């Protein structure tokens, strides 16, 4: 069936309510294309979405999906994948969802290395609550709740991921459609937690981190002789305060997913007995 | 001589109190005696007072009593802490060579057995076995056949090799001989009869874990918290054998969300925690209900609020389980009443969760979770376990639940409130689930009519359950009595034992123990038929008393205990007696 799947099969009949020009359109299209390109179909795909503009993505895509509570999408995705490793699991959220309320889960999801992809639509602003500072907002970025700027450094999600033991770290830009799709595809194909921070500009509330800004400033690592398997090189790149990069910053080619490490290979939804499992009486015997 | 026998070992945390107590309890169980254990422990790793109490009888025992017949005191404080329960003729085993015990005074009328526990243990191969020396001494003091102890030692230390088992047996012999040689005339009027029965001994947390496996639970995510951790400890290393998996999450929020994910993927899934964890899980609990995901959430209650008293008993989370979470959330709240019921209610919780696609709270409490009780093995009859997965659709039947354009309807409006469920991977079943209000297909909506239809549909499940499920209370005592005593959770056993004390005082009572807290049985008729209704529970405000007053429009009397200790049978009988007497005085 998968050979006949087109990326439009992943589109739902709901019209997105994102603002015209929102970066999330491009982010989502790339995700759908990457899913189709990697041989998935809506019935074997599970999308977990967070809260906020980015969280709406589950509604606009067609697959098995859940729209979680704020910040908790990652553990939901991990639970889905552990319970049925045959499903393709993709978690999508925003910078507030992932790096503020969900920062703790982010660190642990990275450590756990469940084979799923995590797409963060990073627009460096809270959009749906109408323009407050987010954890990735610049130190001097003036918003309704931070009129003098947050006056604290932004979270560096790439460095946080690397420090937490990530096996796949990438960054992409929603309007560079082809590269974005390629990068998400690589995250899907990675055996473990494929983390992609996507610059997905907010055209309504963020007049600093704009399409033009990213178009002019992003350095595509694919156009350099960068070796993403070199962890030391990755350290340098993720801590580089002067430049922002696009592409795969780090990939551990020896990565083994949580499911592999823990021997999870069956679909736990199946219960092949109508009562207790056959040797369950052994459980009683041990209390003699 | 009393029909039952009460033994305890007490000392500092880290003294090996727990494992020693367990060895003795197991020995009694192996001798065909019924056992009921309780723990008195503090929230610290080492130091502080801690005790393990064993009540045993050839008859079924269901609670603790205010009586100690033999006490192994490893510290002077052990005697002080238990003074109220010791009586004339009680035996105190202690090590007079231990510096802190050198000047200990045995209260008048009691029998002190000074046994050099440490020295004899060293003779047997290591000071670490000093508690086992004390067990040997206890066997001698009670004429209990030490071979039962041998059998228990083998069970506990068998994995460590035969020589360790032999050394322990030797340590017990040295304790036995010391008492025999040095106290030949001591008045040790205790006799532990043995029977041919084969009992098993386990606690509530273990029974919940066993029930989960029996019910086909494949996924458990939790975060360590007293007194629920034993559920995770039990499952880890066992559930894998049945194709399942245990995850220790980074926090309770992750735990319930991991469990929710697994449940959405179609696995029977569970998390267990105590009150503080339930608070953290509350937001996701609402999502579980709105997305109509079957999930079992175990709350092993302890004293609250806030961090409260983590190692002490309370039933203070009832309101949280009944009402917790913003908005209105259909749910089930089941309260097991005994260790055995922890098993059966867990099995039932999974069936109800899948039949009605709701979250189910299992309201256990510390007194039951850490209490070991003996049972006939067939009380855990695996052949009686039935699995009902509810309205799961397959690739053929899914067609009946699709829109004209082929969209699946996971929240289809149905008469019984339960919608079809497509497990991910089912062809044609792809759909969105969300905590946002949604239409039949799971797509967000703010349509006023659909909102009302979905709320009504979800709430209808509870009405359906009231029609289809047997929510009856368990009944004990005199069915014709005008005095009705109502309770829930672990108090049931204590109340049943309190009957005996009430009979002695010529008071008859009818007892209703309510295992279904929501939806719950309508007790109006029972309340109207009674002259007096007394609700017994381990909390200060009478949370269950409040809800039954509301249900039945009738005032009830309350017996509450909230000092951190579970009811004791004799004490509870006295409380009930006083409560009934007080109301009669008012009427007179």
């Amino acid at each position: 069936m998968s050979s006949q799947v087109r990326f439009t099969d992943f589109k739902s009949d709901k019209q997105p309510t994102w603002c015209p020009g929102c970066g999330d359109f491009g982010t989502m299209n790339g995700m759908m294309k990457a899913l189709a390109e990697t041989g998935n179909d809506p019935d074997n795909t599970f999308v977990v979405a967070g809260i906020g503009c980015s969280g709406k993505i589950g509604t606009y895509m067609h697959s098995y999906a859940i729209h979680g509570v704020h910040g908790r999408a990652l553990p939901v995705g991990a639970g889905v994948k552990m319970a049925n490793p045959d499903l393709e699991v993709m978690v999508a959220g925003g910078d507030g969802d992932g790096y503020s309320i969900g920062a703790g889960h982010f660190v642990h999801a990275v450590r756990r290395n469940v084979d799923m992809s995590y797409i963060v639509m990073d627009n460096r602003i809270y959009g749906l609550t109408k323009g407050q500072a987010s954890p990735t907002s610049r130190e001097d970025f003036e918003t309704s709740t931070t009129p003098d700027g947050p006056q604290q450094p932004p979270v560096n999600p790439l460095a946080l991921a690397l420090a937490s033991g990530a096996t796949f770290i990438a960054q992409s830009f929603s309007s560079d459609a082809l590269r974005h799709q390629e990068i998400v595809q690589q995250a899907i194909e990675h055996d473990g937690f494929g983390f992609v921070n996507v610059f997905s500009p907010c055209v309504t509330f963020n007049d600093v981190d704009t399409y033009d800004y990213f178009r002019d400033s992003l350095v595509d690592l694919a156009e350099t002789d960068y070796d993403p398997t070199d962890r030391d090189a990755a350290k340098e790149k993720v801590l580089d305060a002067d430049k922002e990069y696009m592409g795969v910053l780090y990939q551990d080619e020896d990565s083994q997913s949580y499911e592999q490490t823990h021997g999870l290979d069956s679909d736990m939804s199946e219960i092949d007995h109508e009562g207790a499992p056959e040797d369950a009486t052994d459980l009683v015997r041990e209390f003699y | 001589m009393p029909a039952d026998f009460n033994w305890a070992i007490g000392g500092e945390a880290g003294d090996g109190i727990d494992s020693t107590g367990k060895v003795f309890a197991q020995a009694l169980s192996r001798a065909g005696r019924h056992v009921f254990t309780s723990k008195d422990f503090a929230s610290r790793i080492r130091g502080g007072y801690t005790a393990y109490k064993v009540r045993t009888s050839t008859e079924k025992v269901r609670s603790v009593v205010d009586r100690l017949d033999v006490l192994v005191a490893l510290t002077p404080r052990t005697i002080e802490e238990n003074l109220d329960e010791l009586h004339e003729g009680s035996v105190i085993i202690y090590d007079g060579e231990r510096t802190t015990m050198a000047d200990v005074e045995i209260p008048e009328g009691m029998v002190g057995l000074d046994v050099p526990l440490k020295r004899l243990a060293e003779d047997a191969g290591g000071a670490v076995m000093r508690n086992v020396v004390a067990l040997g001494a206890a066997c001698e003091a009670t004429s209990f056949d030490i071979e039962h102890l041998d059998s228990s030692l083998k069970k506990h230390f068998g994995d460590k090799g035969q020589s360790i088992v032999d050394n322990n047996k030797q340590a017990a012999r040295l304790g036995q001989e010391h008492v025999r040689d040095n106290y030949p005339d001591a008045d040790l009027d205790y006799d532990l009869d043995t029977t041919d029965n084969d009992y098993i001994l386990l606690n509530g947390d273990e029974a919940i874990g066993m029930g989960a496996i029996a019910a086909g639970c494949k996924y458990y995510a939790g975060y360590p918290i007293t007194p629920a951790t034993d559920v995770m400890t039990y499952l880890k290393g066992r559930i894998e054998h049945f194709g399942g998996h245990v995850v220790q999450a980074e926090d309770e929020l992750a735990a319930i969300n991991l469990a929710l994910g697994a449940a959405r993927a179609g696995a029977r899934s569970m998390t267990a925690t105590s009150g503080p964890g339930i608070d953290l899980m509350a937001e996701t609990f609402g999502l579980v209900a709105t997305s109509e995901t079957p999930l079992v959430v175990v709350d092993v209650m302890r004293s609250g609020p806030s961090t409260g008293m983590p190692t002490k008993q309370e039933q203070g989370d009832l309101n949280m389980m009944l009402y917790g979470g913003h908005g209105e959330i259909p749910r089930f709240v089941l309260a097991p009443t005994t260790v055995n019921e922890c098993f059966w209610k867990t099995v039932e919780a999974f069936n109800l969760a899948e039949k009605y696609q709701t979250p189910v709270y299992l309201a256990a409490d510390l007194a039951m979770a850490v209490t070991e009780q003996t049972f006939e093995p067939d009380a855990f009859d695996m052949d009686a376990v039935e699995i009902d997965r509810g309205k799961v659709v397959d690739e053929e039947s899914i067609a009946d639940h699709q829109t004209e354009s082929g969209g699946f309807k996971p929240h289809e409006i149905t008469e019984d409130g339960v919608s079809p469920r497509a497990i991910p991977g089912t062809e044609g079943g792809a759909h969105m689930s969300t905590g946002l209000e949604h239409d039949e297909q799971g797509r967000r909506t703010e349509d006023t009519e659909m909102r009302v239809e979905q709320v009504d549909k979800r709430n209808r499940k509870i009405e359906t359950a009231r029609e289809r499920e047997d929510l009856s209370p368990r009944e004990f005592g005199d069915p014709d009595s005008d005095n009705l005593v109502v309770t829930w959770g672990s108090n049931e056993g204590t109340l049943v034992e309190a009957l005996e004390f009430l009979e002695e005082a010529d008071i008859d009572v009818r007892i209703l123990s309510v295992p279904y807290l929501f939806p719950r049985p309508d007790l109006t008729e029972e309340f109207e038929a009674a002259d007096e209704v007394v609700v017994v529970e381990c909390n200060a405000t009478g949370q269950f008393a409040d809800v039954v007053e509301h249900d039945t429009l009738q005032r009830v009397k309350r017996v509450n205990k909230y000092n951190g200790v579970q009811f004791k049978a004799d004490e509870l009988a006295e409380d009930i007696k006083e409560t009934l007497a007080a109301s009669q005085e008012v009427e007179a």
Side-chain angles (χ1 to χ4, degrees), chain B residues 146-163:
Chain B
I146 202 163
E147 280 181 21
H148 296 298
L149 186 63
D150 290 347
S151 151
S152 178
L153 288 168
K154 185 158 188 269
K155 180 182 165 73
H156 283 264
F157 298 113
D159 291 348
K160 295 182 177 170
Q162 189 57 40
S163 65

Side-chain angles (χ1 to χ4, degrees), chain B residues 9 72-74 93-98 113-123 126-127 129-135 137 171 175 178:
Chain B
I9 180 167
V72 177
L74 298 179
I93 297 168
Y94 68 103
D95 183 351
E97 290 179 11
R98 193 174 184 174
L113 302 183
D114 184 354
V115 184
L117 304 176
K118 188 175 172 217
R119 181 156 55 80
L120 294 177
E122 279 164 354
D123 290 348
M129 294 182 293
R130 61 185 182 149
N131 295 352
V132 177
V133 177
L135 292 182
H178 185 88

Side-chain angles (χ1 to χ4, degrees), chain A residues 1 12-14 17 41-52 55-85 87 101-109 111-112 114 128 258-259 262-264 266-288, chain B residues 22 26 29-30 155 198-203 206-207 210 213-219 234 236 238 241-251 253-255 257-268 283-284 287 291 293 354 377-378 380-383 385-389 398 405 408 422-436 439 441 443-445:
Chain A
M1 155 160 201
S12 80
D13 53 4
K14 279 269 180 184
T17 55
D41 65 64
D43 289 328
N44 85 328
T45 302
F46 201 110
V47 173
V48 185
I51 296 283
K56 293 181 172 185
I57 197 160
T59 310
Y60 308 145
M61 288 176 67
H62 175 60
S63 70
Y64 282 96
I66 189 165
H67 181 209
V69 298
H70 200 194
R72 320 290 167 205
L74 282 171
V76 176
V80 170
K81 185 70 181 181
M82 290 181 203
N84 186 356
L87 298 173
I101 188 165
H105 300 310
F106 177 56
V107 168
H108 293 279
R111 290 175 62 212
R112 214 171 264 136
V114 168
L128 205 55
Y258 180 97
E259 305 88 275
H262 291 77
L264 302 182
S266 64
D267 174 359
M268 293 182 193
S269 72
E270 285 165 21
I271 298 179
D272 54 11
H273 40 89
E274 287 171 5
E278 210 170 289
D279 39 0
T281 42
D282 291 349
L283 297 172
V284 182
R285 210 164 289 139
E286 82 178 270
F287 288 104
Y288 270 112
Chain B
K22 180 118 188 184
Q26 202 89 47
S29 157
R30 290 182 157 226
K155 180 182 165 73
D198 275 331
Y199 294 130
I200 57 168
L201 181 71
L202 73 170
N203 71 28
E206 289 165 336
M210 197 200 289
I213 293 178
C217 171
K218 297 283 178 66
Y219 192 85
Y234 174 83
K236 184 70 204 169
R238 288 181 179 81
H241 178 63
F242 299 91
H245 187 61
V246 170
V247 184
Q248 180 174 321
E250 58 268 29
D251 55 34
L253 298 147
N257 280 284
L258 282 157
L260 163 64
R264 280 309 312 170
R268 285 198 156 188
E283 187 190 16
T284 301
L287 171 62
S291 64
T293 308
E354 288 202 322
D378 64 9
F380 297 82
D381 177 11
M382 293 293 171
D383 290 336
V385 171
E386 283 172 19
I387 290 175
D388 187 342
R389 306 215 63 187
I398 206 163
S405 54
F408 177 62
I423 288 172
T426 308
E427 217 172 292
H431 66 269
M432 175 72 181
S433 311
T434 170
L436 292 165
D439 62 14
Q441 282 183 267
R443 301 174 309 181
R444 174 191 192 156
T445 182

Side-chain angles (χ1 to χ4, degrees), chain B residues 289-483:
Chain B
T290 316
S291 64
E292 307 197 65
T293 308
L295 188 69
V296 177
V297 180
V298 183
D299 179 3
V300 186
M301 289 175 280
R302 65 188 209 186
S303 298
S306 191
T307 332
M309 298 196 288
T311 61
K312 304 297 172 191
Q313 161 72 352
E314 198 165 283
Q315 297 176 309
D317 301 352
L318 177 61
N319 284 339
M320 180 72 184
M321 282 185 271
L322 291 177
Y323 309 115
H326 65 277
E328 297 168 309
I329 304 174
R331 66 190 83 194
F332 286 86
V333 184
L334 308 184
T337 49
T338 63
V339 170
N340 183 234
E341 280 297 299
C342 284
F343 175 86
W344 291 109
K345 280 284 166 289
T346 306
V347 172
E348 196 180 346
F350 279 101
N351 285 337
L352 291 173
E354 288 202 322
K355 274 161 79 178
Y356 297 97
Q357 297 170 29
T358 57
V360 178
Y361 270 130
L362 197 65
D365 57 49
L366 180 138
M368 188 159 49
V370 303
T371 291
E372 284 133 334
Q373 273 181 270
T374 36
F375 295 93
E376 304 273 1
D378 64 9
F380 297 82
D381 177 11
M382 293 293 171
D383 290 336
V385 171
E386 283 172 19
I387 290 175
D388 187 342
R389 306 215 63 187
K391 289 190 190 175
V392 176
V393 295
D394 58 21
E395 271 138 35
E396 278 95 58
S397 61
I398 206 163
D400 300 336
H401 306 284
Q402 282 169 324
T403 60
E404 280 173 14
S405 54
F408 177 62
K409 296 192 283 186
H411 305 286
E412 190 175 38
I413 305 293
T414 58
E415 220 166 283
D416 62 4
V418 186
S419 306
R421 177 172 173 223
I423 288 172
T426 308
E427 217 172 292
H431 66 269
M432 175 72 181
S433 311
T434 170
L436 292 165
E437 194 52 89
H438 44 254
D439 62 14
E440 289 186 293
Q441 282 183 267
R443 301 174 309 181
R444 174 191 192 156
T445 182
E446 286 171 4
D447 178 89
T448 51
E449 275 175 43
M450 182 50 68
R451 158 70 180 175
V452 172
E453 281 192 57
Q454 287 293 341
V455 170
D456 288 348
K457 183 200 94 74
R458 291 194 292 266
N459 286 336
R460 209 147 56 230
K461 297 178 195 183
I462 301 302
E463 296 317 310
T464 304
R466 283 199 174 103
E467 284 161 23
R468 290 187 190 163
E469 308 295 330
D470 179 6
L471 306 175
S472 313
R474 289 149 65 92
E475 192 164 349
F476 304 90
D478 176 1
D480 301 320
S481 174
D482 294 329
N483 300 316

